[in-house]
Amino acid sequence: MTAQVDYLVVIFTATSGASGELLGSDEKEFVQVVWQLVDVKNKKLGKVNELLIKPDLSDLTEEKKEEDVVEESVEEENGSGADCVFTATSLEMALNQFHLQLTNEMNSVGAGTSMCLCTDGQLHIRQVIHPEAANKNILVPDCFYSFFDLRKEFRQHFPTSDLKALNVHIMADCILQYVTCVQIAVQHVHIMASIVLALLSEPFCHMFSNPERVSEKFETGTCSKMEKVCDNTVIRARGLPWQSSDQDIARFFRGLNIAKGGAALCLNAQGRRNGEALVRFVSEEHRDLALQRHKHHMGNRYIEVYKATGEDFLKIAGGTSNEVAMFLSREDQIIVRMRGLPFTATHEQVLAFFNSGDGCKEMCPVSGGKDGILFVRYLDGRPTGDAFVLFACEEHAQCALRKHKEILGKRYIELFKSTAAEVQQVLSLLPPPGGVRDCLRLRGLPYTASIEDILTFLGEFTHDIRPHGVHMVLNQQGRPSGDCFIQMTSAERSLQASQRLNKLVMTSQRGANRRYVEEVFPCSADEMGLVLMGGPLSHMHTHTHNRSRSGTGLSPPPCKSRRKCCWELGVPSYSSPPAPPVLSTEAAAALYPPVGQVLLAPRHLPPGHAYYPGTGQLYMNYAAYYPR
């Protein structure tokens, strides 16, 4: 809307709870609306209308009926100051009655006229009407989807005014040169209408031409990790029902404008929803209104709402995968997530799963055929048993969801409604079994290999090593075993390094040793810690892409002096009596932190010391190097 409207409907609402700047923050029910028509062109005021929402007395006891009748008669006797008073027994009836009366009044002034609501601030529309209507599944009349915020219109002529501190009394003091302390809704509307008339007249000659908009529906979409997201537009919602979708989140925040693709469900380490979501709004103003819905209810659960950052949102919703971008390039598609698929499942089997049934009503055509199916795979290419499927409309998606726990192959399949953000999060962040493989394991190094030799061997990948991230595995005599672990900055770089360096030759500067490195493959920090701290290892050793799920896929480091196969580094393999421990078990536990703390934050070493820990602590079976 760019042209000046013909009529403004100055409107004021009240609930049975908090008022003023806390209006709508306590989820109390909408009980009153007062409005007055303003003829913008002729600068004239219409009659004042009041509509009260009162419960149906037929459901109350006789005693309660008498009390309510007395209260109503007193109210009528005193009078509210409105020209016309209406009553309704429910919110739905009140909204319909309001729309009917307003339509009749507009028709009486002539056809072809335009009108728009005008409120004192954002709360009446965004925090009262829309949230309660959404909670009660009530259709809101179209007139409530656009409105003028009188405070913002006023501020165009008084820019020094603090928007958050403005109210009709402050505006009236500035523009009408009088102050009133009345709190009654009808008088509040009178003041607003007077302010509107003053703005329309000389010297302001204000144009009411660009109203506020309330989003009618949430728009899905994708978000790039390179996109800049303002910290002041994001919240974290906690306590969501596990089956909640992005549309459910949008319904909870109805009245506020969520950015396109701005509702992102959070997943746990297993790729399952954890009851949290990051929500991005179009502005800080809408974010602040969302924070006022802290502990409002979604069904029987109350939802906690906290501030979050743009970085938090991008971690969950941001994506970089071209495969995901192509899959999500078709907007307005309904996404369904499949879980529990056989690892050998094919596109044809998934299509047949959704097209099977006794009749046409049971068939759910996948949008785009094979292109509408995206299988989720680990970084090494193995299937996770999950897939995302696109459907062209809500009807087909609901039909598909009715196949929840039906059989594909020999497994029952779980089906859930999903979101674009969830697709990106699963494809980008879902860790493989055993944790994210952002570490490298090198096997078969020359025994004389030094830190400089390893860094030379890594070449360009040296820049991707974390601080204190090179760890040499020692044998029982405290000498290099030929194995080494390296902590990388990301799983992607770890995988690239393994593909580039596997079975290449490493030359040792100390001595004439020159041999190819038997294996270079990715592993997780947990798998690395298992070896470095002497934990038990799987007897099976396979390549990464064939690794068994039941084992770590790691073999123990060689031990030159052992006489029998020993799978635990901490167990002596020679026949002579073991030396007494330097510390008791209790003392060692108190002195040395858990493995995660040791690996990620080792103690600082003075210059010139190559090994950590010292030779008196070699039972820890590794030395941590500092790359230069």
Side-chain angles (χ1 to χ4, degrees):
M1 186 181 298
T2 57
Q4 174 98 312
V5 296
D6 298 318
Y7 288 86
L8 287 176
V9 184
V10 178
I11 184 173
F12 178 87
T13 67
T15 71
S16 60
S19 60
E21 299 311 305
L22 296 179
L23 181 69
S25 64
D26 52 6
E27 287 189 289
K28 295 298 183 179
E29 291 191 328
F30 173 43
V31 296
Q32 182 188 32
V33 57
V34 179
W35 73 95
Q36 184 175 21
L37 207 61
V38 179
D39 185 339
V40 173
K41 182 178 179 180
N42 300 312
K43 301 178 181 60
K44 293 182 179 180
L45 300 178
K47 59 185 178 182
V48 177
N49 303 277
E50 181 180 18
L51 194 154
L52 303 172
I53 302 177
K54 297 184 177 181
D56 189 350
L57 296 180
S58 62
D59 295 332
L60 305 176
T61 63
E62 291 297 327
E63 181 180 354
K64 182 63 177 175
K65 285 182 183 180
E66 293 178 1
E67 293 177 359
D68 287 343
V69 169
V70 171
E71 290 176 0
E72 186 174 359
S73 63
V74 170
E75 182 179 46
E76 291 176 353
E77 182 180 343
N78 292 337
S80 63
D83 299 313
C84 298
V85 179
F86 310 96
T87 59
T89 58
S90 66
L91 175 63
E92 184 173 20
M93 183 180 294
L95 294 178
N96 292 335
Q97 180 82 343
F98 172 85
H99 186 254
L100 177 63
Q101 296 298 330
L102 185 58
T103 301
N104 291 338
E105 193 169 2
M106 290 299 301
N107 289 338
S108 66
V109 299
T113 56
S114 61
M115 67 89 183
C116 187
L117 303 185
C118 180
T119 64
D120 176 23
Q122 302 276 312
L123 305 182
H124 301 273
I125 301 296
R126 298 192 185 278
Q127 297 286 66
V128 175
I129 301 292
H130 283 281
E132 185 175 344
N135 191 42
K136 295 180 177 179
N137 292 317
I138 296 173
L139 188 64
V140 177
D142 292 341
C143 61
F144 287 102
Y145 282 94
S146 63
F147 66 99
F148 287 101
D149 182 344
L150 185 57
R151 299 183 184 186
K152 291 185 178 180
E153 304 297 321
F154 175 87
R155 197 166 182 269
Q156 293 182 32
H157 301 281
F158 297 88
T160 58
S161 304
D162 183 358
L163 185 62
K164 294 184 178 180
L166 275 181
N167 57 47
V168 294
H169 308 302
I170 294 175
M171 290 188 288
D173 191 25
C174 293
I175 202 169
L176 303 177
Q177 299 302 313
Y178 73 86
V179 178
T180 179
C181 298
V182 294
Q183 298 295 324
I184 301 175
V186 172
Q187 292 170 308
H188 196 110
V189 168
H190 275 306
I191 298 173
M192 291 175 63
S194 299
I195 295 171
V196 168
L197 287 180
L199 288 174
L200 292 170
S201 304
E202 296 285 350
F204 306 109
C205 299
H206 183 75
M207 292 282 290
F208 287 87
S209 57
N210 293 298
E212 298 276 321
R213 300 289 184 184
V214 179
S215 298
E216 295 188 35
K217 67 175 184 177
F218 169 68
E219 292 186 77
T220 60
T222 59
C223 177
S224 169
K225 285 190 180 294
M226 305 305 295
E227 186 174 340
K228 184 172 179 59
V229 177
C230 177
D231 289 341
N232 295 330
T233 62
V234 182
I235 62 94
R236 179 183 296 272
R238 298 179 57 188
L240 299 167
W242 65 270
Q243 71 273 29
S244 298
S245 67
D246 54 353
Q247 296 295 340
D248 295 321
I249 295 170
R251 176 185 291 270
F252 178 79
F253 289 109
R254 182 70 62 82
L256 308 180
N257 296 349
I258 299 175
K260 184 177 181 179
L265 298 165
C266 301
L267 307 179
N268 60 19
Q270 288 72 45
R272 298 175 184 267
R273 298 172 188 175
N274 63 6
E276 295 190 12
L278 275 297
V279 186
R280 177 189 180 189
F281 293 91
V282 296
S283 68
E284 181 179 0
E285 180 181 35
H286 288 238
R287 191 283 308 265
D288 290 344
L289 292 174
L291 291 172
Q292 293 185 16
R293 300 194 188 181
H294 180 59
K295 293 195 174 180
H296 283 203
H297 287 76
M298 180 183 288
N300 294 324
R301 300 175 66 105
Y302 71 83
I303 308 302
E304 299 174 2
V305 182
Y306 303 99
K307 289 182 180 180
T309 66
E311 182 181 0
D312 294 334
F313 182 81
L314 289 175
K315 285 180 181 178
I316 302 300
T320 56
S321 168
N322 291 331
E323 184 181 21
V324 175
M326 288 293 295
F327 180 75
L328 298 175
S329 61
R330 289 170 292 180
E331 297 183 357
D332 297 325
Q333 303 282 317
I334 310 299
I335 305 173
V336 170
R337 182 177 181 180
M338 305 180 73
R339 200 161 63 196
L341 287 166
F343 296 141
T344 57
T346 64
H347 290 84
E348 290 77 11
Q349 288 176 317
V350 172
L351 291 173
F353 175 80
F354 286 112
N355 286 327
S356 62
D358 297 333
C360 295
K361 292 184 178 180
E362 297 300 322
M363 299 178 64
C364 326
V366 175
S367 179
K370 291 183 180 180
D371 293 335
I373 303 171
L374 179 65
F375 288 104
V376 182
R377 301 181 184 279
Y378 292 119
L379 293 176
D380 55 15
R382 291 176 298 114
T384 66
D386 283 31
F388 293 97
V389 184
L390 295 178
F391 294 92
C393 62
E394 185 69 30
E395 181 182 359
H396 289 168
Q398 290 302 322
C399 176
L401 291 172
R402 286 197 289 271
K403 293 180 176 290
H404 180 60
K405 294 199 174 180
E406 287 190 9
I407 302 298
L408 192 160
K410 296 183 179 180
R411 305 191 62 174
Y412 72 85
I413 308 301
E414 296 179 288
L415 299 173
F416 308 93
K417 200 169 182 181
S418 188
T419 67
E422 185 174 33
V423 176
Q424 294 195 134
Q425 188 182 357
V426 169
L427 269 293
S428 301
L429 303 178
L430 184 65
V436 177
R437 291 191 170 91
D438 56 355
C439 301
L440 278 178
R441 186 178 188 189
L442 280 62
R443 296 190 67 250
L445 303 177
Y447 294 121
T448 57
S450 65
I451 182 65
E452 289 80 7
D453 298 331
I454 294 173
L455 297 179
T456 300
F457 176 76
L458 291 174
E460 63 178 280
F461 297 102
T462 301
H463 303 292
D464 301 298
I465 302 175
R466 291 185 183 180
H468 317 157
V470 180
H471 307 273
M472 298 292 290
V473 181
L474 309 180
N475 63 18
Q476 297 297 327
Q477 287 72 44
R479 298 171 182 170
S481 65
D483 278 25
C484 173
F485 286 96
I486 300 172
Q487 291 175 284
M488 307 290 284
T489 56
S490 69
E492 288 77 12
R493 293 298 285 171
S494 175
L495 180 62
Q496 292 172 13
S498 68
Q499 294 171 339
R500 185 86 58 84
L501 301 176
N502 191 45
K503 295 190 181 299
L504 293 185
V505 173
M506 175 185 289
T507 302
S508 172
Q509 301 298 324
R510 293 182 295 180
N513 286 352
R514 187 176 187 273
R515 57 176 297 179
Y516 75 92
V517 179
E518 291 179 5
E519 285 185 299
V520 180
F521 56 89
C523 66
S524 68
D526 291 339
E527 293 168 342
M528 177 180 68
L530 187 65
V531 177
L532 297 185
M533 301 308 291
L537 300 172
S538 169
H539 290 233
M540 180 182 297
H541 174 65
T542 59
H543 292 288
T544 304
H545 61 277
N546 292 324
R547 185 171 295 123
S548 167
R549 287 193 173 194
S550 61
T552 64
L554 301 173
S555 63
C559 180
K560 291 175 64 177
S561 64
R562 63 185 174 189
R563 296 182 179 179
K564 61 181 180 178
C565 183
C566 183
W567 300 105
E568 293 189 358
L569 292 174
V571 179
S573 58
Y574 39 86
S575 57
S576 57
V582 178
L583 296 172
S584 66
T585 303
E586 294 76 13
L591 183 60
Y592 298 109
V595 58
Q597 298 178 22
V598 173
L599 298 183
L600 296 179
R603 295 177 302 188
H604 175 72
L605 291 182
H609 287 256
Y611 291 95
Y612 170 75
T615 55
Q617 303 162 2
L618 285 180
Y619 63 85
M620 298 183 73
N621 299 308
Y622 78 101
Y625 288 95
Y626 288 69
R628 297 176 182 176

